[in-house]
Amino acid sequence: MASKSAGSALCANLFTIAAFCCTISANHMCNFLKITGTKNNQTKEIFRGIWKGMTNSNSECTRYQDTNMSFDTNWRSARAFSILTDVFGAIAVFTVLASMMPSARNKTVLSSNVSLGFMCCLFQGLTLLLLNSNACHDSQDLTVQNNDETCSIFVGANLSISAVVLWFCSSLAISCTMAATVMEASTEKEREEGTAGTDPKEVPAPVANEEEESKPKADV
């Protein structure tokens, strides 16, 4: 039984660490999405992320604070949710790693880990609001000359989707760990109660053999 909860905890650790790595990569890279359009009869591509990206087809990846980008509600929301996922994800990684110790693997800690996992799953999914923001529809030099630009998900968005799935799997693995831990605690309690219920004084003394009792005792 102990190996069952330990195995579930190990799976939860792997899912949580993988989810956090995908989260950090997706939220802080330049190629969350890709804008494709035509400029001077040439196909151009612009890559953008939540916090940094290209302002036009000739620029390099830079932080948006150094540019004149227009942030709408969806873009600001995506940035806010990325911060929440980074923070809660870091807490989730710490608490899940701590739960590998049997002393910290209790119902309270595990239930909080489940909540953290589901929150990260939700918040990371909401970073996809970037696909319906100015980041995806305001490519400056491409839209001036053409109306045929397309905006599609790229590496960062795919990592974000992967992170959502991994956070969900992490929560399920932690739930299994919590169930196994409760079963182990219940079994251990029953074993202790069974051991404590056996009083050595109540154990009957062994009955002597009848033939030995019938034999006369030798006179001293």
Side-chain angles (χ1 to χ4, degrees):
M1 291 296 294
S3 60
K4 184 178 294 185
S5 66
S8 299
L10 179 60
C11 290
N13 281 349
L14 295 177
F15 280 126
T16 302
I17 293 173
F20 185 66
C21 291
C22 288
T23 293
I24 294 297
S25 299
N27 292 346
H28 299 281
M29 63 178 10
C30 292
N31 52 359
F32 193 95
L33 54 85
K34 178 177 70 173
I35 304 172
T36 305
T38 306
K39 179 181 180 181
N40 298 329
N41 297 324
Q42 294 181 350
T43 301
K44 300 287 185 178
E45 294 180 341
I46 296 176
F47 300 99
R48 286 186 180 161
I50 299 175
W51 294 94
K52 56 185 178 180
M54 300 168 60
T55 56
N56 56 66
S57 58
N58 297 319
S59 66
E60 297 181 353
C61 177
T62 58
R63 297 191 66 85
Y64 297 126
Q65 63 187 18
D66 301 325
T67 65
N68 295 321
M69 298 298 296
S70 174
F71 300 103
D72 61 353
T73 302
N74 286 339
W75 198 341
R76 294 180 186 277
S77 298
R79 298 179 76 160
F81 287 123
S82 71
I83 294 175
L84 290 174
T85 312
D86 290 349
V87 173
F88 286 116
I91 297 174
V93 169
F94 176 78
T95 54
V96 168
L97 289 176
S99 66
M100 282 298 293
M101 296 184 296
S103 59
R105 198 184 306 150
N106 54 64
K107 188 175 181 180
T108 302
V109 174
L110 293 175
S111 59
S112 64
N113 289 344
V114 173
S115 300
L116 285 171
F118 280 123
M119 284 193 296
C120 290
C121 179
L122 174 63
F123 294 153
Q124 188 61 37
L126 289 173
T127 61
L128 295 173
L129 287 170
L130 189 72
L131 298 172
N132 194 33
S133 69
N134 287 344
C136 205
H137 302 294
D138 182 17
S139 57
Q140 298 181 3
D141 60 338
L142 297 185
T143 55
V144 171
Q145 299 182 14
N146 303 279
N147 294 320
D148 61 346
E149 74 167 15
T150 58
C151 182
S152 58
I153 64 175
F154 204 57
V155 177
N158 289 328
L159 285 173
S160 183
I161 295 171
S162 299
V164 171
V165 176
L166 289 170
W167 281 122
F168 184 77
C169 292
S170 171
S171 298
L172 292 182
I174 296 171
S175 299
C176 293
T177 304
M178 182 167 60
T181 302
V182 172
M183 291 178 61
E184 289 176 14
S186 177
T187 303
E188 184 65 25
K189 184 177 180 180
E190 292 177 358
R191 185 182 296 113
E192 291 177 355
E193 290 178 351
T195 305
T198 304
D199 191 351
K201 296 180 180 179
E202 296 178 358
V203 178
V207 178
N209 194 330
E210 295 181 357
E211 294 181 357
E212 293 180 356
E213 291 181 353
S214 61
K215 291 181 179 180
K217 297 181 179 178
D219 296 335
V220 180

